[in-house]
Amino acid sequence: MLIPKKYHFHLVALVAVAVMIFYPILSKKVEPRMLMEGTIAAEDFLHLIDSGQYEQSWNSASALMRDKIFLEVWNRRIPAMRTKVGTLISRHQTDASISDMAEGAPEGKYLTLVYDSTFSKQSTATETVILALEKDENWRVAGYFLK
């Protein structure tokens, strides 16, 4: 079905508005430099956890995370969680996204990295690391989740 010529302008305007609204939402691709810096910070953090350096991992985390999770709680939860899954066998980053918001956090820059991981007691696992860009322009871990 053809659109009458008198509506062509309206159709073009509607498409333009839709692109202006949805393009920023759908194109939340991570810039290569941000991805590299965030990945380095996340993997340094994960290495601390993998090697049982739980207090150091907490100390390296963002102020946001340290304000929400006390060191004593971190030192109980993370070792218990890692004991349940066993030692790391492999880890592969599968996804990365950037956002101006994170649940329960103030507006800012947040990078979410997702890893498919294998542990000695759990053959398939998903690790999610959320990083916050802090005032000093460094990425620091704001959340760590293992499923």
Side-chain angles (χ1 to χ4, degrees), residues 103-119:
E103 189 174 326
E107 195 169 313
K109 285 276 186 214
Y110 297 94
L111 178 62
T112 301
L113 302 177
V114 179
Y115 296 86
D116 283 343
S117 303
T118 302
F119 294 90

Side-chain angles (χ1 to χ4, degrees), residues 15-66:
V15 169
V17 168
V19 167
M20 288 188 300
I21 291 171
F22 292 108
Y23 181 77
I25 294 168
L26 298 175
S27 68
K28 292 286 187 180
K29 295 191 178 172
V30 182
E31 295 174 21
R33 190 184 105 258
M34 284 183 165
L35 179 59
M36 182 186 70
E37 292 171 355
T39 298
I40 290 168
E43 292 181 1
D44 286 349
F45 176 87
L46 290 168
H47 175 72
L48 290 171
I49 290 177
D50 295 339
S51 61
Q53 298 177 63
Y54 306 117
E55 186 167 342
Q56 292 89 332
S57 69
W58 184 86
N59 286 329
S60 74
S62 69
L64 178 66
M65 188 176 109
R66 291 191 319 267

Side-chain angles (χ1 to χ4, degrees), residues 49-50 81-91 117-122:
I49 290 177
D50 295 339
M81 178 174 39
R82 293 307 289 267
T83 298
K84 186 177 178 180
V85 298
T87 58
L88 177 72
I89 295 172
S90 68
R91 175 181 289 130
S117 303
T118 302
F119 294 90
S120 61
K121 296 179 185 176
Q122 186 170 335

Side-chain angles (χ1 to χ4, degrees), residues 3-18:
I3 298 173
K5 195 169 192 162
K6 68 180 184 178
Y7 296 115
H8 283 193
F9 174 77
H10 296 9
L11 182 60
V12 169
L14 181 63
V15 169
V17 168

